[in-house]
Amino acid sequence: MNLAPLPRLVFEPAVRTALAEDLGLAGDITSAAVIPSDHRSRFALAARKPGVIAGLDVAELAFALVDPAISLTRNVEDGAKVGAGDVIALVEGPSRGLLTGERTALNFLGHLSGIATVTAGIVEAIAGTTASVVCTRKTTPGLRALEKYAVRAGGGMNHRFALNDAVLIKDNHIAVAGSISEAIRRAKAGVGHMVKIEVEVDTLDQLREAMDVGVDAVLLDNMTPELLRDAVSFVAGRAITEASGGITPATAAKIAASGVDLLSVGRLTHSAPCLDIGLDWS
């Protein structure tokens, strides 16, 4: 997998905030009281369950910000599939720093690996179709860049990062504007020629109205696989087709078989369970 690393500048503020939250006003009083200051240790970051790894750079930074003398040696890279019991990486250095940074590092690594794992499951479910899996803006506030990176680590693609990336006309925009046609016309008049326009539709009649005016993509919301096939046939390649609405690993294959280009899945970031990863004495 050709996975571009996330720049440290992007995720360092989140790691610093998480460490500050955990250290509080007095720091790690347990490690300071129990562990001699000159003691050194080596621990293994090990997977408790099978999954896909994401967030090693973030975990490494969490340890390094606590104590620059801590080193992390990887056995795998982000995007790798691991089994239960597999050692992901070894961390070694001053014991106090290792134990102080443990929870923050594991919180990020487990959360992001959970997202990558759920994404990989849906990617696998639709293998053999022409569809791709994309995420949404249903992300944890402050962690969007990291969570969308984890989606890529799992083999998915990213939708909008922010409201200024593209125009996405949804039902409330249409209600305020008065009609799909009017909303699209206003969007075309209000943005530059480089900005793509997508509109959400629930019925074939709405789809016809949108295509009559012309858009770059259509978000086919909560349509059955049968209705999706009709919609894809009507669009006939004139716009990107994106299915959305409660897509799960169990329903993804039928939805992808309709011929849509994209499956938009909010659960990738808002409902993915944490991948259980532990820090074991080595």
Side-chain angles (χ1 to χ4, degrees), residues 95-137:
S95 300
R96 284 186 180 180
L98 286 165
L99 295 174
T100 297
E102 172 186 3
R103 179 44 49 201
T104 296
L106 290 178
N107 282 349
F108 278 114
L109 187 59
H111 176 57
L112 298 177
S113 296
I115 291 172
T117 300
V118 170
T119 302
I122 296 184
V123 169
E124 183 177 351
I126 66 171
T129 72
T130 58
S132 297
V133 178
V134 298
C135 54
T136 71
R137 285 170 40 247

Side-chain angles (χ1 to χ4, degrees), residues 9 15 24 41 57 69 75 80 104 140 144 149 154 168-169 172 202 219 222 253:
L9 183 66
V15 179
S41 298
D57 283 348
N75 289 342
T104 296
T140 307
R144 180 170 294 168
Y149 166 82
L168 177 48
I169 300 169
N172 285 334
D202 302 317
L219 181 63
N222 284 300

Side-chain angles (χ1 to χ4, degrees), residues 89-275:
L90 295 173
V91 286
E92 54 187 316
S95 300
R96 284 186 180 180
L98 286 165
L99 295 174
T100 297
E102 172 186 3
R103 179 44 49 201
T104 296
L106 290 178
N107 282 349
F108 278 114
L109 187 59
H111 176 57
L112 298 177
S113 296
I115 291 172
T117 300
V118 170
T119 302
I122 296 184
V123 169
E124 183 177 351
I126 66 171
T129 72
T130 58
S132 297
V133 178
V134 298
C135 54
T136 71
R137 285 170 40 247
K138 296 176 182 178
T139 54
T140 307
L143 297 183
R144 180 170 294 168
L146 282 169
E147 292 178 345
K148 283 181 173 285
Y149 166 82
V151 168
R152 299 197 300 276
M157 298 168 57
N158 294 151
H159 207 285
R160 293 189 299 173
F161 271 78
L163 291 169
N164 65 327
D165 282 353
V167 171
L168 177 48
I169 300 169
K170 305 195 77 174
D171 53 357
N172 285 334
H173 298 106
I174 294 165
V176 173
S179 69
I180 287 176
S181 300
E182 181 60 21
I184 296 172
R185 290 190 186 99
R186 292 182 186 180
K188 288 185 174 183
V191 299
H193 69 286
M194 296 294 288
V195 179
K196 290 186 178 295
I197 298 174
E198 181 173 16
V199 64
E200 176 186 87
V201 299
D202 302 317
T203 67
L204 291 181
D205 285 342
Q206 290 179 331
L207 177 61
R208 293 187 188 96
E209 183 180 355
M211 294 305 297
D212 283 345
V213 184
V215 290
D216 300 293
V218 286
L219 181 63
L220 308 169
D221 191 45
N222 284 300
M223 290 187 177
T224 64
E226 294 74 24
L227 193 56
L228 285 170
R229 278 194 290 271
D230 291 341
V232 170
S233 177
F234 176 76
V235 172
R238 292 176 292 162
I240 294 170
T241 54
E242 177 183 350
S244 73
I247 298 172
T248 69
T251 62
K254 285 186 177 180
I255 292 171
S258 69
V260 293
D261 299 304
L262 304 173
L263 272 64
S264 181
V265 187
R267 70 173 50 237
L268 301 181
T269 51
H270 71 59
S271 296
C274 179
L275 182 65

